[in-house]
Amino acid sequence: QKEVEQNSGPLSVPEGAIASLNCTYSDRGSQSFFWYRQYSGKSPELIMFIYSNGDKEDGRFTAQLNKASQYVSLLIRDSQPSDSATYLCAVEKGNEKLTFGTGTRLTIIP
Amino acid sequence: DVKVTQSSRYLVKRTGEKVFLECVQDMDHENMFWYRQDPGLGLRLIYFSYDVKMKEKGDIPEGYSVSREKKERFSLILESASTNQTSMYLCASRSGGSGNTIYFGEGSWLTVV
């Protein structure tokens, strides 16, 4: 079992709809969870992080964490073509290292 | 703004050559990392360092070594490059402590022929 799992996609969502990206992790000791966006040929950039159960909102983005079920999700409201990218989930176990999933490729259809 | 600079963006090296990838960060971060990214495999940690002259192996250290002589600089060394080390290499840094953001450099695209 991979430490961090994501559906590779591609996930296609119409412009203006909600995109939902999911990530599961195997280690119950994981403490912090990050979502990164990566455009083709570019380096990852942080969207948001979460470490408490529940929802965390930042603009059009909402991260949801459920430690009991070991999953973290990212919702993107009012999806825009500029949201088309690969989204990486990363998990930290408190040892300073982040473990990344393989990413989900998201395409927003105009 | 945090800046992580990878001096070499695109390199082509021959099999067996020694390769140095340099990374410099300007935010006095304790922790620095080297990842490689390959299609379908995501980001995989090669080595990381949590202090000057300190290093720890990541998930795929074979064929690589690192050097951290100064806090701001973390170098990745391929002692004898091989074709299976063709990849994009990402340097990153973050401040110590759980939950802090990791910042990436722009990446170094290495092709070994």
Side-chain angles (χ1 to χ4, degrees):
Chain A
Q1 183 185 8
K2 290 182 181 177
E3 289 189 61
V4 181
E5 293 210 51
Q6 297 180 254
N7 286 328
S8 61
L11 175 65
S12 296
V13 173
E15 184 176 355
I18 296 175
S20 177
L21 304 160
N22 298 312
C23 171
T24 59
Y25 59 95
S26 60
D27 191 333
R28 285 193 175 274
S30 300
Q31 298 180 357
S32 303
F33 307 86
F34 301 80
W35 282 101
Y36 284 82
R37 177 177 62 201
Q38 186 175 26
Y39 293 113
S40 180
K42 302 292 187 182
S43 60
E45 54 182 344
L46 180 72
I47 298 174
M48 60 193 309
F49 65 90
I50 186 169
Y51 43 80
S52 300
N53 271 329
D55 295 0
K56 180 180 179 182
E57 189 174 315
D58 184 0
R60 295 187 297 111
F61 299 95
T62 300
Q64 299 175 318
L65 175 60
N66 184 321
K67 288 188 176 181
S69 299
Q70 294 177 243
Y71 82 78
V72 56
S73 61
L74 180 71
L75 302 178
I76 307 174
R77 290 182 299 281
D78 188 23
S79 297
Q80 304 296 310
S82 59
D83 295 327
S84 297
T86 296
Y87 289 80
L88 302 169
C89 171
V91 172
E92 181 192 18
K93 295 185 284 188
N95 60 355
E96 309 284 2
K97 293 192 297 182
L98 266 65
T99 300
F100 286 82
T102 54
T104 298
R105 188 155 53 96
L106 174 66
T107 300
I108 305 302
I109 304 168
Chain B
D1 264 3
V2 175
K3 192 158 181 64
V4 180
T5 303
Q6 295 181 233
S7 53
S8 300
R9 294 296 315 280
Y10 302 95
L11 306 94
V12 179
K13 298 292 182 180
R14 295 193 181 279
T15 300
E17 278 194 81
K18 191 169 186 176
V19 182
F20 292 87
L21 299 179
E22 305 285 341
C23 176
V24 177
Q25 51 97 0
D26 66 356
M27 282 302 291
D28 202 37
H29 284 167
E30 292 84 0
N31 300 327
M32 296 189 74
F33 308 82
W34 275 105
Y35 289 88
R36 64 178 282 178
Q37 186 172 31
D38 302 286
L41 297 177
L43 273 77
R44 293 180 291 167
L45 181 64
I46 305 171
Y47 267 97
F48 73 103
S49 168
Y50 51 87
D51 202 351
V52 176
K53 297 191 184 294
M54 306 300 287
K55 61 183 179 184
E56 283 201 24
K57 294 179 180 180
D59 300 317
I60 52 164
E62 297 77 18
Y64 303 94
S65 62
V66 290
S67 172
R68 193 165 181 201
E69 296 296 318
K70 293 184 178 181
K71 192 174 185 180
E72 69 270 18
R73 188 179 298 270
F74 192 35
S75 303
L76 180 69
I77 304 156
L78 288 67
E79 294 288 346
S80 178
S82 62
T83 55
N84 62 12
Q85 293 178 309
T86 292
S87 186
M88 181 168 83
Y89 291 86
L90 285 162
C91 176
S93 74
R94 74 191 293 222
S95 184
S98 181
N100 288 321
T101 302
I102 190 169
Y103 295 91
F104 287 93
E106 292 186 322
S108 298
W109 294 86
L110 172 66
T111 301
V112 182
V113 298

